Amino acid sequence: MFKHRRVRVACVLVVGCVVLTFMEWRAEQATWRTAVVSGFLMACVVAGTWWFAEMTQGLSSRTRRKR
């Protein structure tokens, strides 16, 4: 399941959104709506960084197996 890049990035986005929304709501005492928006935006940044790191690492595992 986690061998596909899109699945890994989607998991990072979902988990990051949940965790960061909870942190905004709990620690920063933000309203629920503000916490969701802030958590989602920060999770997009984290998932985008994750995607960029995976794209720049070189060959994917599928390409390595073909050789």
Side-chain angles (χ1 to χ4, degrees), residues 1-46:
M1 178 174 134
F2 291 111
K3 67 180 180 176
H4 299 290
R5 182 178 296 133
R6 288 177 292 205
V7 174
R8 288 191 303 266
V9 172
C11 288
V12 167
L13 180 64
V14 170
V15 171
C17 188
V18 169
V19 169
L20 292 169
T21 297
F22 179 75
M23 286 176 51
E24 279 286 319
W25 176 70
R26 184 76 171 165
E28 299 293 330
Q29 301 294 319
T31 63
W32 184 245
R33 182 169 288 175
T34 305
V36 169
V37 170
S38 296
F40 180 72
L41 289 175
M42 287 188 289
C44 286
V45 170
V46 170

Side-chain angles (χ1 to χ4, degrees), residues 38-60:
S38 296
F40 180 72
L41 289 175
M42 287 188 289
C44 286
V45 170
V46 170
T49 304
W50 184 281
W51 173 83
F52 181 77
E54 282 198 355
M55 290 297 290
T56 57
Q57 281 183 351
L59 299 174
S60 67

